[in-house]
């Protein structure tokens, strides 16, 4: 269970009560209710970075925990958790008024980390949200143009 969008990015830490659990597992209450009657496994995702939060998700009856962003910042996270290391990596939080731009910047920073990992490079958590956002938008624009050209070529 995840939710929100760029205008109301629930998974970006914009919870009403500000509690850590709500920020790291925003939809846990809803997902645990769904898990009681669901016929398929339910997964909760949304900013989960700490072992005790992941464990609280499992203890609530939700059988799966999404930790992709945390893994993008620390690919050794499962080993660290197994050894009870409490290292919590996080990306810079842009102090911007626009939730849309904050959400886009956060996703751009995560994509950057995943791209680095795909090249067997270590994550760099101290990155500029603005630079990552601009470069990501330029990259997406190039990919969109390439896709449109490919579609146009297929229609002939």
């Amino acid at each position: 269970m995840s939710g929100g969008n760029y205008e109301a990015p629930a998974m970006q830490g914009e919870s009403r009560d500000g509690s850590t659990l709500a920020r790291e597992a925003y939809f846990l209450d809803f997902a645990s209710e769904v898990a009681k009657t669901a016929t398929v496994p339910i997964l909760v995702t949304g900013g989960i970075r700490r072992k005790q939060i992941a464990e609280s998700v499992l203890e609530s009856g939700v059988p799966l925990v999404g930790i992709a962003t945390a893994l993008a910042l620390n690919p050794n996270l499962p080993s660290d958790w197994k050894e009870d290391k409490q290292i919590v990596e996080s990306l810079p939080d842009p102090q911007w008024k626009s939730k849309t731009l904050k959400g886009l910047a956060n996703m751009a920073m995560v994509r950057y980390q995943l791209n680095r990992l795909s090249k067997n490079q270590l994550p760099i958590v101290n990155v500029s949200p603005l630079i990552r956002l601009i470069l990501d938008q330029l990259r997406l624009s190039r990919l969109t143009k390439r896709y449109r050209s490919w579609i146009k070529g297929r229609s002939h």
Side-chain angles (χ1 to χ4, degrees):
M1 307 300 297
S2 186
N5 56 42
Y6 295 117
E7 304 225 356
M11 71 292 269
Q12 301 293 333
E14 302 294 333
S15 62
R16 278 183 265 174
D17 63 6
S19 73
T20 302
L21 179 59
R23 283 195 310 267
E24 288 193 46
Y26 192 86
F27 293 98
L28 179 55
D29 292 338
F30 179 65
S32 23
E33 286 301 314
V34 170
K36 291 176 185 174
T37 58
T39 58
V40 296
I42 301 298
L43 177 139
V44 168
T45 190
I48 298 167
R49 300 182 314 261
R50 295 182 299 147
K51 180 181 177 182
Q52 67 259 34
I53 302 301
E55 288 173 341
S56 71
V57 170
L58 298 174
E59 289 165 4
S60 78
V62 175
L64 299 168
V65 181
I67 57 170
T69 298
L71 285 171
L73 300 176
N74 178 3
N76 296 317
L77 188 62
S79 296
D80 288 351
W81 283 0
K82 188 175 182 180
E83 296 173 12
D84 285 328
K85 292 181 183 175
Q86 300 299 319
I87 301 167
V88 178
E89 297 286 356
S90 60
L91 293 167
D93 181 22
Q95 299 300 309
W96 304 340
K97 290 182 181 180
S98 170
K99 289 181 182 180
T100 302
L101 290 177
K102 283 177 74 167
L104 287 169
N106 188 46
M107 291 183 68
M109 291 186 289
V110 171
R111 271 195 288 273
Y112 174 68
Q113 304 306 330
L114 292 172
N115 190 30
R116 290 185 57 77
L117 291 174
S118 75
K119 296 174 184 175
N120 207 26
Q121 298 172 335
L122 294 174
I124 299 175
V125 296
N126 189 20
V127 295
S128 164
L130 180 60
I131 290 172
R132 294 295 6 132
L133 175 60
I134 291 168
L135 292 175
D136 197 55
Q137 291 299 303
L138 291 171
R139 183 186 67 82
L140 291 173
S141 177
R142 282 192 307 273
L143 290 173
T144 301
K145 286 178 185 175
R146 189 168 71 188
Y147 175 72
R148 287 181 179 157
S149 175
W150 178 78
I151 290 292
K152 186 176 179 181
R154 291 182 48 93
S155 63
H156 293 292

